[in-house]
Amino acid sequence: MKFNDFEFSDGKNSQHGTSKKLLLLLALSLVFLTIVPLYLLTTSHSPLPSPKIDISDLRNIGIVKECDIFSGKWIPYPNGPYYTNATCSLIIDQQNCMKFGRPDTEFMEWRWRPEKCALPFFNAKQFLELVRGKMMAFVGDSLGRNQMQSLLCLLSSVSHPEDISHSPTDADPNGHSLNSLMNLYLDQADEAWASQIENFDYVIISAGQWFFRPLIYHINGQIVGCHNCYMENITAVTMYYGYRMAFRAAFETLRSLKNYKGITFLRTFSPSHFENGAWNEGGNCIRTMPFSSEEMKFDGYILEFYLTQVEELRKAQKKGKKRGLRFELLATTEAMLLRPDGHPNYYGRSTHDNVTVADCVHWCLPGPIDTWNEFLLYMMRKEAWRSFYEKLQ
């Protein structure tokens, strides 16, 4: 996707005359295409499913499909996390909360428990067995990178993963200025990612927070509206419009690639938890315990973002089925809505070195974001069994 960036003040716009190419169709900061070449992560185990199949697993496949792992609650888990910042060297400073003096550790002592089933622990060896010789891409913003780095730390107990992802491309060269207005071309996939993604086996797509910013939307080379731009002669539209169209274009791009046969996972909106003010008005996130579902309701703009994503995913599933493509849901929103305690707050070092701004968007490592990869492995395993079961028919 291409951007043109502007600075506007007192209603007057001045174009910088630069054009940016990003690695995703979405208006994001730190947009990137992370490539995990899983054939480099070796174990002594064979790929799943193996020839030695437990028939009870096949009989239970229907039960697995019916289990909603995404609805549940956080329960105390005093055994602690899978890893620490001492055992995983891949944690960047922005999410290395313990390195920078976070005094409490209770945020690492909770596990997600679905309402009607058990969520298996992350099994690094099983993950590597499933993906031997395959490639995985995280396409999204810095929260997608956050998940990728969680995954690498989870795998570090049995392997020696390396972060070889592309350097992040900053969507806003003006340092995330409140006055920065960008053009967002909703229907143009950038070749930087579209040209590489075709041979990937797993693609995890996500985006969210950067759709709150001022944006001018373009389709077919024409301005179709803007969000928070307050410009005359341009129709004001909601942020949900751009959000919907961006995911639609991303799914359409994947579906249109002739040789793409991978499984696409949509990771849903990750909520922030600023209290006592907005992010640029002294807001912070000082809580040390999860919310209960009674304390924090799944509604408002967070629900609207989530439903927008799911609606576009359902359309992609229906269209993709004609080609045998799988589009699956990683519905992390409900679980993460309840974790105001999981953010770095002031206990991280931003890439912009502005320690006066609390980070209530990203997630500490280790922390509740590790649950995203428990979800991911669960869904990957379910897909592997589904595929194997279909071949038996």
Side-chain angles (χ1 to χ4, degrees), residues 326-363:
R326 304 287 297 183
F327 291 83
E328 299 297 333
L329 184 68
L330 282 179
T332 58
T333 307
E334 180 180 341
M336 303 313 283
L337 179 63
L338 304 178
R339 294 307 305 268
D341 57 324
H343 301 287
N345 197 23
Y346 295 111
Y347 300 105
R349 290 296 177 265
S350 168
T351 55
H352 298 282
D353 294 324
N354 187 351
V355 296
T356 65
V357 176
D359 184 354
C360 303
V361 173
H362 301 93
W363 303 93

Side-chain angles (χ1 to χ4, degrees), residues 271-325:
S272 62
H273 291 91
F274 287 99
E275 297 185 77
N276 308 309
W279 70 270
N280 59 324
E281 298 173 347
N284 55 29
C285 41
I286 61 175
R287 294 180 184 267
T288 59
M289 297 279 287
F291 285 129
S292 68
S293 56
E294 289 73 29
E295 293 176 290
M296 178 61 73
K297 298 298 183 183
F298 190 5
D299 56 16
Y301 76 90
I302 295 175
L303 179 61
E304 190 68 26
F305 269 118
Y306 173 84
L307 291 177
T308 298
Q309 288 179 297
V310 172
E311 287 170 6
E312 291 305 313
L313 178 72
R314 298 306 180 213
K315 294 175 184 176
Q317 287 175 326
K318 185 177 181 180
K319 294 178 180 178
K321 190 175 183 180
K322 299 175 183 178
R323 273 195 51 204
L325 292 179

Side-chain angles (χ1 to χ4, degrees), residues 18 158 211 215 340 355 382 389-390:
T18 58
V158 298
F211 281 84
L215 295 167
V355 296
K382 190 176 81 168
Y389 187 71
E390 288 179 353

Side-chain angles (χ1 to χ4, degrees), residues 193-194 197-198 252-260 323:
W193 74 270
I197 210 74
E198 197 162 11
E252 284 294 320
T253 298
L254 290 169
R255 192 175 62 84
S256 67
L257 294 172
K258 182 179 179 180
N259 296 319
Y260 180 64
R323 273 195 51 204

Side-chain angles (χ1 to χ4, degrees), residues 13 84-85 113 138 148 164 219 227 266 283 299 374:
N13 300 320
T84 68
N85 65 329
R113 185 174 73 184
F138 289 84
M148 179 273 293
I164 63 168
I219 293 180
H227 169 63
L266 167 66
D299 56 16
E374 291 179 332

Side-chain angles (χ1 to χ4, degrees), residues 16 70 73 84 90 107 118 123 151 154 167 210 217 243 275 295 312 315 342 365:
H16 287 259
F70 305 121
K73 63 181 180 180
T84 68
L90 298 167
F107 73 95
N123 185 318
L151 177 60
L154 290 167
S167 298
W210 287 89
Y217 298 128
Y243 201 58
E275 297 185 77
E295 293 176 290
E312 291 305 313
K315 294 175 184 176
L365 294 179

